[in-house]
Amino acid sequence: MSTVNNVTNNPVVQQLMQGSGSSASSSEDGSVEGLEDRFLTLLVTQIQNQDPLNPMENAELTSQLAQINTVKGIAGLNATMEKLLTSYSDALSMQSAALVGKNVLSAGNKLSLTEAGAIGGINLAGAADQVTVTITSAAGAKVAEQKLGEQEAGVIDFYWDGKDLDGNPVAAGDYKFTVNATQGGKTVDATALQFGTVSALVRTASGFQLEIPGIGQVDFGSVQQIY
């Protein structure tokens, strides 16, 4: 801790860091070499303008010279992190592109019913001896219910044939569902997952998003299962 405080309290280092803050990514001055040159320039200026009656001690001079390694290390670490983030972003975009045309389960409680039925998913935080899915209309009216029985922890999926509580077919369209999971009478955390087919990869200000017809754009990180 004392080393960090000494570095940040040093006037030369403070000027150096202030001078590099806005140009580190856009100017040569932000490079490791640029930081070193500026450090030495500031240090020489400090020595030239020191009080002759109270000159800098050798130990202090040595300490300031040694601190250039710390500053260079920080600059080098920042450059390395930028490269790693760029590589990670590129790798993530390639992984996301590979999902185009794939069926996925992602966070959400939308259930899209077609003539073939509808598929949804659940992510259980723990094992459950009873899992119940309640399907509702867009207005919130209860349409159907499924008891999935005992399930292990993890991601599971379910199929709805599109019939209501009385066994009658309902109109195709968008529905919603909720999940209630219990183990020995105690609630088990359960996250609803919506099913869809990835149609495109979209670049946004916050990164790449997966475009899923009928659902919209979802984060790659929200995908829980791929089919």
Side-chain angles (χ1 to χ4, degrees):
M1 295 298 293
S2 60
T3 302
V4 174
N5 291 334
N6 288 338
V7 171
T8 55
N9 291 332
N10 186 292
V12 175
V13 174
Q14 289 176 353
Q15 294 180 58
L16 178 65
M17 298 307 290
Q18 291 172 359
S20 64
S22 61
S23 62
S25 61
S26 61
S27 169
E28 194 174 85
D29 292 337
S31 65
V32 175
E33 294 77 8
L35 290 174
E36 183 176 5
D37 291 341
R38 187 158 56 252
F39 185 98
L40 294 176
T41 299
L42 291 172
L43 182 58
V44 170
T45 301
Q46 182 181 4
I47 294 174
Q48 291 175 338
N49 292 279
Q50 66 183 336
D51 185 355
L53 300 179
N54 185 28
M56 183 186 300
E57 296 181 1
N58 290 337
E60 183 180 357
L61 176 60
T62 301
S63 175
Q64 292 194 13
L65 289 173
Q67 286 169 8
I68 182 61
N69 290 326
T70 299
V71 177
K72 289 174 64 178
I74 294 173
L77 179 60
N78 288 338
T80 300
M81 286 301 297
E82 288 181 2
K83 291 180 180 179
L84 287 175
L85 289 174
T86 299
S87 297
Y88 174 76
S89 179
D90 292 342
L92 185 60
S93 65
M94 292 181 65
Q95 290 178 344
S96 300
L99 291 181
V100 175
K102 299 287 187 179
N103 297 320
V104 298
L105 285 176
S106 60
N109 67 339
K110 189 174 182 179
L111 201 59
S112 298
L113 178 64
T114 66
E115 293 181 356
I119 297 175
I122 305 165
N123 190 354
L124 294 174
D129 54 25
Q130 185 56 259
V131 179
T132 302
V133 176
T134 301
I135 300 168
T136 61
S137 66
K142 185 175 180 179
V143 176
E145 184 177 89
Q146 287 192 17
K147 293 187 179 298
L148 306 181
E150 185 176 355
Q151 300 290 337
E152 296 295 327
V155 176
I156 60 174
D157 53 34
F158 65 90
Y159 170 77
W160 177 39
D161 60 7
K163 295 181 179 180
D164 62 16
L165 294 168
D166 297 322
N168 300 315
V170 299
D174 293 332
Y175 294 81
K176 294 184 178 180
F177 70 97
T178 57
V179 183
N180 179 51
T182 59
Q183 176 68 35
K186 295 182 178 179
T187 300
V188 176
D189 289 338
T191 302
L193 303 175
Q194 54 196 6
F195 179 89
T197 303
V198 180
S199 63
L201 181 64
V202 181
R203 183 191 291 274
T204 67
S206 59
F208 287 100
Q209 300 277 304
L210 301 175
E211 181 69 34
I212 301 179
I215 294 177
Q217 295 178 0
V218 301
D219 291 325
F220 176 79
S222 71
V223 174
Q224 299 295 305
Q225 189 158 309
I226 303 170
Y227 297 86

